[in-house]
Amino acid sequence: MLSKKVLSFAMTATLALGFMSGCASNANSDSGDSGDKKVIKIVTQSPLSGGSATLGEAIKLGAQLAIDQQKDKFAELGFELKLDAQDDQGDPKKGVANANLVVADKSVLGVVGHLNSGVSIPASEVYEKNNLVSVSPASTATDYTDRGLKTVSRVVARDDFQGPAGAQYAVETLGAKKIFVVQDKTAYGSGLADAFKEAAEDLGAEVVGYEGITVGEKDFNGVLNQVASKKPDLIYYGGLYAEGGILVKQAREKGLDIPFMGGDGLDSSTFVEIAGDAVKNTFITSVAGDTTQSEEGTKFAEDYKAAFSKNIESYSAYAYDSAAVLLAGIEKAIKENDNKLPTREEVTKAVRATQDYKGVVTEVGFDEKGDNKFAKIFIYKFAEAKYPATLDGEISQ
């Protein structure tokens, strides 16, 4: 009995020591220490699964490249940079749940994301309460920045700029007089469609129909029968590529060979994969420019391909620039804090103060809301089933 008691005590002591050691290890992890260097994490929040995963992964990889390229510089300052990629699934509830986990990690000093405005808006409320700065490379809804949150910024244009730009092109360049508008009932899709509709009517076009579809649907014959009955000379779609690709394909099958137009949610290689040849005679407005139009952008595209064995997508470079703006703000805050780890509040102030950052694809200067005063809208045409589409013009704010 004595030997069993001694053995039992020894095992209990060993387990207790192991538990205490594990607690100590977790405590070090939470404090942001990594050996002699303090850890600084940048989080990406984007859909890495589901219907928007192509664009979501592009955001992750663009940010990852920026972080990888600046690790050595931050190591010299005494910090270890890490990426924490979160899958928000394009779902507001998941985005908020992720945000609550992210803000609890004190080593996180910035967020690149989200893709979807409907996810960005509720998640940013969590960031704001915890003084965590976020820069979106893709969210375009006006409400995203109109709420006046100090932690919220974006590098791309707003829907109230993109929608009217598309309407102007549709009416003045394509000669559209009767337009049928379809939207996916999300914050992004409906906001963009509303802005387009109002501007098109102001320009003298008649909107002969306005209908909504549901994200995840695959049969749009009902709404397309309504389109056909109205005999429009252009269809405008506010939504993302997963449904947009099916919608344009089914429209062509019904003999609706009129111009099809949409926003930056269609700016994806997967849109072309889904639509196939039906993508011809499709036009999109995008907040993303052609990365390869500049020497810096071409070099970025080459580095991206070398690092990930993938071609760039529309938001790859914008995520890279968003991450770079965050890192520049963090570096500034470190230096202003005597080379010590800055607070989230100090990082937020440094990032929002950005006025003339030269990115690989866009210049960045934030106004009092966090909008980028240098953002542009780009017009693209699909003359064949090939991505990217042909750049047909750009509009500055």
Side-chain angles (χ1 to χ4, degrees), residues 81-282:
L81 274 184
K82 289 186 177 181
L83 172 71
D84 179 6
Q86 297 284 329
D87 180 9
D88 67 23
Q89 301 173 9
D91 181 341
K93 291 182 180 178
K94 180 63 174 174
V96 170
N98 286 352
N100 280 304
L101 291 174
V102 164
V103 298
D105 185 345
K106 300 307 180 185
S107 63
V108 176
L109 292 186
V111 177
V112 176
H114 299 235
L115 168 69
N116 310 83
S117 295
V119 183
S120 289
I121 292 170
S124 64
E125 299 285 349
V126 178
Y127 304 143
E128 179 77 4
K129 290 176 182 176
N130 292 273
N131 299 302
L132 181 62
V133 66
S134 64
V135 179
S136 175
S139 294
T140 57
T142 56
D143 283 350
Y144 181 54
T145 50
D146 280 353
R147 292 165 300 149
L149 305 186
K150 64 181 182 297
T151 59
V152 168
S153 297
R154 59 176 151 206
V155 299
V156 291
R158 298 159 51 101
D159 283 341
D160 55 1
F161 175 30
Q162 181 179 190
Q168 181 180 346
Y169 187 87
V171 176
E172 297 181 358
T173 301
L174 299 180
K177 296 179 180 178
K178 296 173 65 179
I179 302 171
F180 198 106
V181 177
V182 182
Q183 47 86 19
D184 68 359
K185 296 186 269 191
T186 66
Y188 162 71
S190 61
L192 181 61
D194 289 346
F196 174 91
K197 177 178 179 291
E198 181 179 354
E201 290 174 333
D202 288 345
L203 289 167
E206 180 186 1
V207 175
V208 296
Y210 184 96
E211 293 294 334
I213 62 169
T214 301
V215 172
E217 285 185 356
K218 297 186 183 301
D219 183 354
F220 302 119
N221 281 295
V223 70
L224 288 171
N225 285 335
Q226 294 184 55
V227 174
S229 70
K230 296 294 185 179
K231 295 183 171 55
D233 46 34
L234 182 140
I235 301 170
Y236 184 84
Y237 174 64
L240 297 175
Y241 64 83
E243 291 74 30
I246 299 172
L247 186 66
V248 69
K249 187 173 184 178
Q250 293 180 357
R252 302 306 188 217
E253 291 170 352
K254 282 191 171 295
L256 292 165
D257 294 326
I258 56 178
F260 185 98
M261 191 173 194
D264 60 302
L266 305 183
D267 193 359
S268 166
S269 61
T270 308
F271 174 61
V272 180
E273 292 175 12
I274 295 170
D277 285 339
V279 80
K280 296 175 183 176
N281 202 25
T282 292

Side-chain angles (χ1 to χ4, degrees), residues 373-389:
K373 60 188 180 184
F374 298 108
K376 296 180 179 180
I377 295 296
F378 303 87
I379 312 291
Y380 295 93
K381 176 182 179 179
F382 285 101
E384 56 182 326
K386 181 180 177 182
Y387 184 84

